[in-house]
């Protein structure tokens, strides 16, 4: 195991207590809402934020241990960091910025200059070495920051929302290049992001942090199919309801009101997940028995690509995903009562 961290600290209103383990060669995407503690966790790993409790080990070496007082300063840690706001030296050229990272680790000047040139070429900026950050685009500045971090051959690479400040087209291109560069990086890679597409594209595993705690970890498929919090459900675009199963009939009594019937539901406290595309809407109560059927009222609509997400207030409230033609045919924009139908086979139930 290359990275093992148990972190405890208080910073303002943030109470962070999280554990993280990442294997060598693994890419882990760290997701969570604003204020969850993602950037603070990265700062702890980089040595920029002291621990109140716990310890950080990299390749078996203790970087920090609150119990013993052991602490390795940031400049002596084999860690590369790419910040969201780049943090390039404005008075240095792109080449000199990359070279600075190497020189700060003791690399001789001539060797540092040669390595810096090579890495600028790797990130597609071979012809921009003499340009200062003010004359580079946002995407180019981020590439310089990435080259500076990778040039030092770190054992741990920390990426703090590296594409958050970029426009959509620049972000797509940098995502492709970053995926290629990360594939050739043999150390541990930890990516902070709000974007589930980045997490799926760049991360082999996802870790979700909320209010300073890890609430879920696993592959994209595991988290998508079985979300364990409202944030995760909203992130992957599914409905998540919590309730309790008391009998063997698969009937889930929902905390928010209402009930759902599912097949093979375990007893006890459960989550019930329903994909919006599995939710059907009608103006009249539909016929048929193997269904969950209840009434509600359209509350809001949002166009996403070729589908419309319709939030229906009811017991329970739920989001349906329908075609624009269905919106027109059902006159959903006029409001009024609609009927919601979900097949029991489309309700995924698992222990809470």
């Amino acid at each position: 195991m290359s990275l093992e961290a148990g972190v405890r600290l208080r910073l303002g209103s943030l109470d962070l207590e999280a554990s993280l383990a990442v294997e060598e060669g693994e890419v882990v995407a760290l997701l969570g809402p604003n204020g969850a503690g993602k950037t603070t966790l990265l700062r702890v790993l980089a040595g920029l934020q002291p621990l109140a409790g716990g310890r950080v080990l990299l390749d078996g070496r203790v970087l920090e241990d609150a119990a013993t007082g052991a602490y390795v300063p940031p400049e002596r840690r084999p860690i590369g960091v790419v910040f969201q706001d780049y943090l390039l030296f404005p008075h240095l050229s792109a080449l000199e910025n990359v070279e600075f990272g190497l020189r700060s680790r003791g690399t001789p000047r001539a060797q540092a200059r040669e390595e810096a040139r090579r890495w600028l070429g790797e990130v597609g900026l071979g012809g921009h070495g003499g340009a200062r950050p003010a004359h580079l685009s946002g995407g180019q500045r981020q590439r310089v920051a990435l080259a500076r971090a990778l040039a030092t051959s770190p054992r741990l690479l920390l990426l703090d929302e590296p594409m958050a400040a970029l426009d959509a087209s620049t972000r797509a291109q940098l995502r492709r290049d970053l995926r290629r560069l990360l594939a050739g990086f043999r150390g541990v890679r930890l990516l902070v992001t709000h974007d589930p597409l980045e997490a799926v594209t760049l991360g082999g595993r996802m870790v979700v942090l909320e209010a300073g705690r890890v609430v879920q970890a696993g592959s994209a498929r595991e988290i998508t199919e079985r979300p364990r919090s409202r944030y995760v459900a909203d992130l992957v675009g599914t409905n998540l309801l919590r309730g309790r199963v008391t009998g063997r009939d698969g009937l889930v009594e929902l905390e928010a009101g209402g009930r759902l019937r599912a097949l093979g539901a375990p007893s006890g406290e459960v989550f019930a997940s329903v994909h919006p595309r599995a939710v059907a809407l009608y103006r009249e109560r539909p016929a048929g028995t193997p269904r969950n059927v209840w009434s509600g009222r359209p509350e809001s609509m949002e166009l996403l690509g070729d589908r419309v997400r319709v939030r229906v207030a009811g017991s329970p409230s739920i989001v349906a995903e329908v075609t624009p033609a269905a919106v027109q045919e059902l006159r959903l924009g006029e409001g009024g009562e609609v009927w919601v139908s979900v097949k029991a086979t489309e309700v995924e139930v698992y222990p809470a």
Side-chain angles (χ1 to χ4, degrees), residues 121-134:
E122 286 287 333
V123 299
L125 293 177
H128 295 77
R132 291 188 177 183

PDB file of all heavy atoms in Angstrom, residues 121-134:
ATOM      1  N   GLY A 121       7.255  19.873 -23.405  1.00  0.00           N
ATOM      2  CA  GLY A 121       6.897  19.155 -24.624  1.00  0.00           C
ATOM      3  C   GLY A 121       5.839  18.096 -24.360  1.00  0.00           C
ATOM      4  O   GLY A 121       4.917  17.901 -25.164  1.00  0.00           O
ATOM      5  N   GLU A 122       5.938  17.402 -23.208  1.00  0.00           N
ATOM      6  CA  GLU A 122       4.980  16.351 -22.853  1.00  0.00           C
ATOM      7  C   GLU A 122       3.565  16.908 -22.710  1.00  0.00           C
ATOM      8  O   GLU A 122       2.590  16.229 -23.037  1.00  0.00           O
ATOM      9  CB  GLU A 122       5.399  15.676 -21.552  1.00  0.00           C
ATOM     10  CG  GLU A 122       6.580  14.733 -21.668  1.00  0.00           C
ATOM     11  CD  GLU A 122       6.212  13.444 -22.381  1.00  0.00           C
ATOM     12  OE1 GLU A 122       5.028  13.038 -22.330  1.00  0.00           O
ATOM     13  OE2 GLU A 122       7.109  12.842 -23.000  1.00  0.00           O
ATOM     14  N   VAL A 123       3.460  18.134 -22.209  1.00  0.00           N
ATOM     15  CA  VAL A 123       2.128  18.724 -22.006  1.00  0.00           C
ATOM     16  C   VAL A 123       1.697  19.600 -23.177  1.00  0.00           C
ATOM     17  O   VAL A 123       0.700  20.322 -23.101  1.00  0.00           O
ATOM     18  CB  VAL A 123       2.064  19.530 -20.686  1.00  0.00           C
ATOM     19  CG1 VAL A 123       2.342  18.631 -19.499  1.00  0.00           C
ATOM     20  CG2 VAL A 123       3.021  20.713 -20.712  1.00  0.00           C
ATOM     21  N   GLY A 124       2.451  19.546 -24.290  1.00  0.00           N
ATOM     22  CA  GLY A 124       2.057  20.261 -25.495  1.00  0.00           C
ATOM     23  C   GLY A 124       2.423  21.722 -25.532  1.00  0.00           C
ATOM     24  O   GLY A 124       1.817  22.501 -26.276  1.00  0.00           O
ATOM     25  N   LEU A 125       3.427  22.133 -24.730  1.00  0.00           N
ATOM     26  CA  LEU A 125       3.826  23.545 -24.693  1.00  0.00           C
ATOM     27  C   LEU A 125       5.291  23.730 -25.058  1.00  0.00           C
ATOM     28  O   LEU A 125       5.941  24.669 -24.578  1.00  0.00           O
ATOM     29  CB  LEU A 125       3.562  24.124 -23.288  1.00  0.00           C
ATOM     30  CG  LEU A 125       2.093  24.249 -22.858  1.00  0.00           C
ATOM     31  CD1 LEU A 125       2.006  24.769 -21.433  1.00  0.00           C
ATOM     32  CD2 LEU A 125       1.320  25.152 -23.814  1.00  0.00           C
ATOM     33  N   GLY A 126       5.790  22.859 -25.923  1.00  0.00           N
ATOM     34  CA  GLY A 126       7.200  22.935 -26.291  1.00  0.00           C
ATOM     35  C   GLY A 126       7.600  24.271 -26.891  1.00  0.00           C
ATOM     36  O   GLY A 126       8.749  24.705 -26.752  1.00  0.00           O
ATOM     37  N   GLY A 127       6.687  24.949 -27.532  1.00  0.00           N
ATOM     38  CA  GLY A 127       7.011  26.224 -28.164  1.00  0.00           C
ATOM     39  C   GLY A 127       6.660  27.436 -27.327  1.00  0.00           C
ATOM     40  O   GLY A 127       6.715  28.570 -27.819  1.00  0.00           O
ATOM     41  N   HIS A 128       6.307  27.228 -26.050  1.00  0.00           N
ATOM     42  CA  HIS A 128       5.878  28.342 -25.204  1.00  0.00           C
ATOM     43  C   HIS A 128       6.772  28.511 -23.977  1.00  0.00           C
ATOM     44  O   HIS A 128       6.384  29.178 -23.012  1.00  0.00           O
ATOM     45  CB  HIS A 128       4.429  28.129 -24.735  1.00  0.00           C
ATOM     46  CG  HIS A 128       3.429  28.158 -25.843  1.00  0.00           C
ATOM     47  ND1 HIS A 128       3.229  27.103 -26.705  1.00  0.00           N
ATOM     48  CD2 HIS A 128       2.557  29.136 -26.238  1.00  0.00           C
ATOM     49  CE1 HIS A 128       2.279  27.408 -27.570  1.00  0.00           C
ATOM     50  NE2 HIS A 128       1.860  28.639 -27.314  1.00  0.00           N
ATOM     51  N   GLY A 129       7.946  27.935 -24.002  1.00  0.00           N
ATOM     52  CA  GLY A 129       8.815  27.970 -22.837  1.00  0.00           C
ATOM     53  C   GLY A 129       9.189  29.367 -22.386  1.00  0.00           C
ATOM     54  O   GLY A 129       9.383  29.619 -21.197  1.00  0.00           O
ATOM     55  N   GLY A 130       9.297  30.323 -23.315  1.00  0.00           N
ATOM     56  CA  GLY A 130       9.708  31.671 -22.954  1.00  0.00           C
ATOM     57  C   GLY A 130       8.581  32.578 -22.518  1.00  0.00           C
ATOM     58  O   GLY A 130       8.829  33.712 -22.084  1.00  0.00           O
ATOM     59  N   ALA A 131       7.332  32.104 -22.606  1.00  0.00           N
ATOM     60  CA  ALA A 131       6.176  32.950 -22.271  1.00  0.00           C
ATOM     61  C   ALA A 131       5.941  33.005 -20.769  1.00  0.00           C
ATOM     62  O   ALA A 131       6.055  31.985 -20.073  1.00  0.00           O
ATOM     63  CB  ALA A 131       4.936  32.424 -22.974  1.00  0.00           C
ATOM     64  N   ARG A 132       5.595  34.174 -20.274  1.00  0.00           N
ATOM     65  CA  ARG A 132       5.227  34.301 -18.875  1.00  0.00           C
ATOM     66  C   ARG A 132       3.739  33.974 -18.692  1.00  0.00           C
ATOM     67  O   ARG A 132       2.965  34.035 -19.649  1.00  0.00           O
ATOM     68  CB  ARG A 132       5.532  35.718 -18.376  1.00  0.00           C
ATOM     69  CG  ARG A 132       7.036  35.993 -18.305  1.00  0.00           C
ATOM     70  CD  ARG A 132       7.338  37.307 -17.625  1.00  0.00           C
ATOM     71  NE  ARG A 132       8.775  37.524 -17.506  1.00  0.00           N
ATOM     72  CZ  ARG A 132       9.327  38.555 -16.908  1.00  0.00           C
ATOM     73  NH1 ARG A 132       8.548  39.497 -16.365  1.00  0.00           N
ATOM     74  NH2 ARG A 132      10.642  38.677 -16.835  1.00  0.00           N
ATOM     75  N   PRO A 133       3.319  33.590 -17.475  1.00  0.00           N
ATOM     76  CA  PRO A 133       1.932  33.173 -17.242  1.00  0.00           C
ATOM     77  C   PRO A 133       0.884  34.157 -17.753  1.00  0.00           C
ATOM     78  O   PRO A 133      -0.174  33.739 -18.244  1.00  0.00           O
ATOM     79  CB  PRO A 133       1.879  33.031 -15.716  1.00  0.00           C
ATOM     80  CG  PRO A 133       3.273  32.653 -15.338  1.00  0.00           C
ATOM     81  CD  PRO A 133       4.159  33.413 -16.281  1.00  0.00           C
ATOM     82  N   ALA A 134       1.145  35.459 -17.666  1.00  0.00           N
ATOM     83  CA  ALA A 134       0.153  36.450 -18.095  1.00  0.00           C
ATOM     84  C   ALA A 134      -0.144  36.364 -19.583  1.00  0.00           C
ATOM     85  O   ALA A 134      -1.197  36.827 -20.034  1.00  0.00           O
ATOM     86  CB  ALA A 134       0.641  37.859 -17.743  1.00  0.00           C
TER      87      ALA A 134
END
